[in-house]
Amino acid sequence: MRQPLLILLLLAGLLPAGAPAALAAAGPAVDSGDTAFIIVCTALVMLMTPALALFYGGMVRQKNVLSTMMHSFLAIALVSLIWVLYGYSLAFGPDIGGLIGAPTALGLRGVGMLPNETYAATIPELVFVVFQLMFAIITTAIISGAYAERMRFTAFLLFSALWVSVVYLPLAHWVWGDGGWLRRLGALDFAGGTVVHISSGVSGLVAALVLGRRKGLKNQPPLPHNLPFTVLGASLLWFGWFGFNAGSALGSNGLAAMAFLVTNTAAAAAALAWLLAEWLHHGKPTVLGAASGAVAGLVAITPAAGFVTPLASLLIGLGGGLLCYLAVAVLKQRLGYDDALDAFGCHGVGGIWGALATGIFASRAVNELGADGLLYGNPHQLLVQLIGVAATIAFAALTTWLLLKLVGLLTELRVSPEEEEMGLDITVHGEKAYRENLSGSPLPGAGNSLLTRAGATSLSH
């Protein structure tokens, strides 16, 4: 569009002969197709956080559905402000020692409508800003699944603001920022295996351990209160994940097409792998298992989406579904920790497997800007991926523990036993999700009456 217009202006005598060269030198051109594609992908990734609210909300007890969904909804608002004020600058600003970006774009000062050639040469930098914001939002929301039904709302707000500032922003710079030390090392993370999933899963596990188990789990094992919510949430996550992974190509191109295809393939393989493992282990294939398996596969393929072939994605999905099932149904039961909605079991374990699998299956034939993995004659890449995984686990675990201790000095981390028994919807927010019990009988009392028990939540089977 741009070149024909310049030619017409030249022929009409409205531009001097040297104008095209001068305009070309003024800055990189915005590609309208790439820009439209990434804007749509950004909207898809944004949809994933409300989808996560449905996925998590269906798995908690009836008395905690609103408080659980509130964690995801408020993450959108909270992280959006942080990102504009200083988050983007610290994640993607000029490098400081390979560890963090410089605060040169506070309030997005100097960030405009022209491309930033370092990160995305064909779309306005503002589009890149919003696309990356959506990753920070959902990462913060994922953690809440581990401490669902027991963290105080004030503690949630403080912890979330501190976590995205102190954990997410440095990790994003390490892996994706120009000059980040893991990026210089050659670690591959196409769409967030380490930055998003390992960091959130490990941080969720630490939070679950610090807060302790929910009350009464032995006497009344928790069951999901609304599985249709959970299935709808998983379906919307699957849909939005196409923006998550394909959009990370940062252009409407062949790499985006490959990322789109392998994302779907891995999710399908993992759903079937989880379902089969559950069927053999417990005797029944459940809807919850199929939904959980699909999410596990989406997590596992995320770091590899722009580096592997469709056949490799099938193997990554099978591995993700099986390993995440074992983490949820076996490991958690044996170790006894209360990761309420399996943030670690799905996102932590799935992210670790996906990052290491990238070091095995990556091929420069798919993406020449990547690297060959172990199966293509480069065992060093697997070592690099292992370093990235270990560094992310260590940094996220230690920093999350310190942040929780700090927040604990400022406010109580956990609701009281009485509040936990009555449910956080009523005691924290003064609301109830349903006018009646799911059984059809009225809730006791009127107005802000207490929610009755309707089971509980866990991906355990």
Side-chain angles (χ1 to χ4, degrees):
M1 291 293 293
R2 179 176 178 140
Q3 293 302 323
L5 178 60
L6 292 177
I7 292 171
L8 288 174
L9 290 173
L10 279 170
L11 292 175
L14 297 178
L15 284 179
L23 287 174
V30 170
D31 185 287
S32 59
D34 288 349
T35 301
F37 176 67
I38 301 305
I39 287 175
V40 170
C41 287
T42 300
L44 287 173
V45 182
M46 188 275 174
L47 179 65
M48 291 173 66
T49 302
L52 184 72
L54 284 168
F55 184 70
Y56 278 173
M59 290 191 288
V60 294
R61 286 169 284 192
Q62 181 178 333
K63 61 185 179 181
N64 293 315
V65 56
L66 294 178
S67 66
T68 299
M69 298 179 79
M70 185 71 138
H71 291 154
S72 294
F73 194 81
L74 258 292
I76 300 174
L78 183 66
V79 179
S80 291
L81 297 184
I82 290 173
W83 196 252
V84 168
L85 291 174
Y86 60 86
Y88 176 73
S89 187
L90 297 186
F92 293 98
D95 178 63
I96 299 177
L99 300 176
I100 197 70
T104 56
L106 299 180
L108 297 183
R109 182 182 62 182
V111 178
M113 292 178 282
L114 292 176
N116 181 325
E117 292 187 272
T118 302
Y119 294 114
T122 62
I123 64 175
E125 187 174 5
L126 287 173
V127 175
F128 179 75
V129 168
V130 185
F131 182 66
Q132 289 295 335
L133 162 63
M134 299 308 162
F135 284 67
I137 288 171
I138 195 167
T139 308
T140 308
I142 288 169
I143 304 171
S144 66
Y147 54 72
E149 300 195 300
R150 58 200 191 277
M151 181 179 271
R152 289 175 60 88
F153 189 64
T154 304
F156 156 74
L157 291 173
L158 287 173
F159 171 71
S160 296
L162 289 170
W163 188 89
V164 75
S165 302
V166 180
V167 178
Y168 184 86
L169 298 181
L171 277 175
H173 186 79
W174 292 5
V175 176
W176 294 329
D178 186 34
W181 74 273
L182 282 175
R183 179 173 174 170
R184 292 201 314 266
L185 188 65
L188 300 178
D189 187 357
F190 191 71
T194 51
V195 179
V196 176
H197 296 294
I198 296 178
S199 69
S200 61
V202 169
S203 296
L205 176 61
V206 172
L209 293 173
V210 170
L211 267 73
R213 293 168 58 84
R214 287 166 291 170
K215 304 297 183 184
L217 291 187
K218 291 184 178 180
N219 297 329
Q220 187 176 12
L223 299 171
H225 92 282
N226 192 326
L227 278 178
F229 269 20
T230 297
V231 174
L232 176 60
S235 302
L236 289 173
L237 282 169
W238 194 332
F239 176 67
W241 225 290
F242 294 130
F244 201 80
N245 287 357
S248 292
L250 297 174
S252 181
N253 51 40
L255 186 60
M258 179 64 80
F260 196 110
L261 175 61
V262 301
T263 297
N264 191 71
T265 303
L272 292 173
W274 184 302
L275 202 67
L276 180 59
E278 176 186 52
W279 202 345
L280 294 173
H281 188 203
H282 284 286
K284 292 186 182 297
T286 68
V287 174
L288 179 57
S292 304
V295 172
L298 292 165
V299 170
I301 195 58
T302 292
F307 304 113
V308 300
T309 65
L311 182 58
S313 72
L314 190 154
L315 298 175
I316 291 172
L318 289 175
L322 179 59
L323 290 172
C324 291
Y325 174 78
L326 293 174
V328 166
V330 178
L331 181 66
K332 186 172 77 167
Q333 304 307 312
R334 290 185 178 178
L335 297 183
Y337 59 86
D338 184 18
D339 175 9
L341 305 179
D342 296 299
F344 176 72
C346 281
H347 295 273
V349 173
I352 291 169
W353 159 243
L356 296 177
T358 304
I360 298 172
F361 296 106
S363 170
R364 294 193 67 217
V366 175
N367 186 345
E368 63 180 11
L369 297 180
D372 286 328
L374 176 65
L375 290 184
Y376 294 88
N378 181 22
H380 176 71
Q381 189 59 42
L382 181 57
L383 175 61
V384 170
Q385 296 301 111
L386 182 60
I387 292 172
V389 167
T392 302
I393 292 173
F395 177 69
L398 177 60
T399 310
T400 298
W401 184 83
L402 291 172
L403 290 178
L404 287 168
K405 293 301 180 182
L406 174 61
V407 172
L409 295 176
L410 302 175
T411 183
E412 290 289 335
L413 287 175
R414 184 166 176 157
V415 298
S416 69
E418 293 76 17
E419 290 173 318
E420 187 174 344
E421 174 66 23
M422 290 187 289
L424 276 62
D425 289 0
I426 287 294
T427 59
V428 175
H429 303 293
E431 299 171 298
K432 59 179 181 287
Y434 309 102
R435 295 176 64 88
E436 295 181 339
N437 287 325
L438 297 183
S439 63
S441 59
L443 286 166
N448 289 339
S449 58
L450 304 182
L451 292 176
T452 57
R453 297 190 187 190
T457 173
S458 178
L459 290 180
S460 300
H461 298 276

